[in-house]
Amino acid sequence: LIPGFTVGIITNLRMSRDLDLRFLPGMSFGERKLYYNIPVVDNIIPFAERQYDYSIKSTFLDFPLLIKYKALRINNARPYVIFGGAYRIDISKSASQDLVSLKRGGYYAEIGGGWDTYLQFFRFSVEAKVSIGLNDQLGPGPDHTQRQYYTDGLRSLRSNIFTLLFHFE
C-alpha cells in the first residue's frame, strides 16, 4: 500500500431525492511498485544495495462519472453508496529508458460507500472507494539501454486503487 494524494472538484446533478449523477474531475499523484524475485538493476540509476522492487511514479488526470444512491437521512447524517466508471490519463514523463513502461490511459470500474454529515454551512463527506483496472496498462519494453526481461516477465499489468476521500460541499 503506497499512499498518494488527489485534489479535484465536484459536479453534481440531482436526479431524484435519493439519486445523484456525479462528475469528479481531478489530479492524482501516486506511485506503483513492482516486486520481482530477482535483483532489479537499473542501468540509468545505480543502486547502492540489492533491490527487488521497481517504483513507477505517476501523475493522473482523473475523469470519474459516478451514480450516488443515498439512504434516508438520520438526524444530520446520510449514508450512501457510489458506483460507476472512470478514465485516467497518466501525464507523467514516460521515458524510453524506464525498466517498465505503462500506457497513458486506463479505464476503471469504481464502487464504494460513504457518509454525508450536514453541518451548519457545508456538507462534509467521508468516502471509501475501490477502483478496479479494466484494461492492460503494460506498455512496450524499454530501448536497448535497459534489460528487456523486467518487462518480458509480465503478461499484463492492471491497477487496483483504494481511495479514502474527504469531500467539502
Side-chain angles (χ1 to χ4, degrees):
L1 184 65
I2 302 167
F5 181 74
T6 301
V7 69
I9 58 174
I10 298 171
T11 306
N12 194 68
L13 174 64
R14 186 174 179 180
M15 297 168 60
S16 71
R17 184 186 69 160
D18 298 329
L19 201 62
D20 293 349
L21 179 65
R22 296 169 67 85
F23 179 59
L24 301 124
M27 182 176 271
S28 300
F29 306 94
E31 182 178 354
R32 296 174 175 134
K33 206 164 254 205
L34 303 174
Y35 295 97
Y36 292 94
N37 58 2
I38 58 173
V40 175
V41 179
D42 190 343
N43 293 341
I44 307 302
I45 303 167
F47 296 117
E49 58 186 57
R50 295 177 76 150
Q51 294 196 358
Y52 291 88
D53 61 354
Y54 183 68
S55 179
I56 303 169
K57 293 181 178 25
S58 296
T59 303
F60 294 102
L61 291 178
D62 299 333
F63 301 103
L65 185 62
L66 304 168
I67 302 275
K68 179 179 180 180
Y69 178 73
K70 303 173 282 190
L72 294 176
R73 197 165 164 168
I74 306 164
N75 295 328
N76 284 333
R78 192 173 197 179
Y80 63 88
V81 294
I82 55 164
F83 56 92
Y87 182 71
R88 288 185 173 86
I89 300 171
D90 191 353
I91 59 173
S92 300
K93 180 186 83 127
S94 58
S96 61
Q97 297 87 12
D98 285 344
L99 291 177
V100 176
S101 66
L102 303 175
K103 294 178 182 172
R104 291 197 64 188
Y107 296 97
Y108 295 81
E110 299 194 336
I111 189 166
W115 192 269
D116 287 336
T117 304
Y118 296 88
L119 303 169
Q120 186 174 1
F121 297 110
F122 65 94
R123 178 174 53 201
F124 175 68
S125 303
V126 178
E127 179 180 303
K129 180 173 66 172
V130 175
S131 303
I132 301 164
L134 300 176
N135 63 323
D136 185 15
Q137 292 287 300
L138 188 60
D143 63 11
H144 65 283
T145 61
Q146 292 285 8
R147 296 179 170 96
Q148 293 287 325
Y149 54 81
Y150 294 110
T151 300
D152 292 343
L154 301 172
R155 191 172 318 136
S156 70
L157 190 62
R158 298 180 195 282
S159 295
N160 295 325
I161 303 167
F162 174 77
T163 310
L164 182 63
L165 298 143
F166 301 99
H167 297 290
F168 298 91
E169 297 179 63

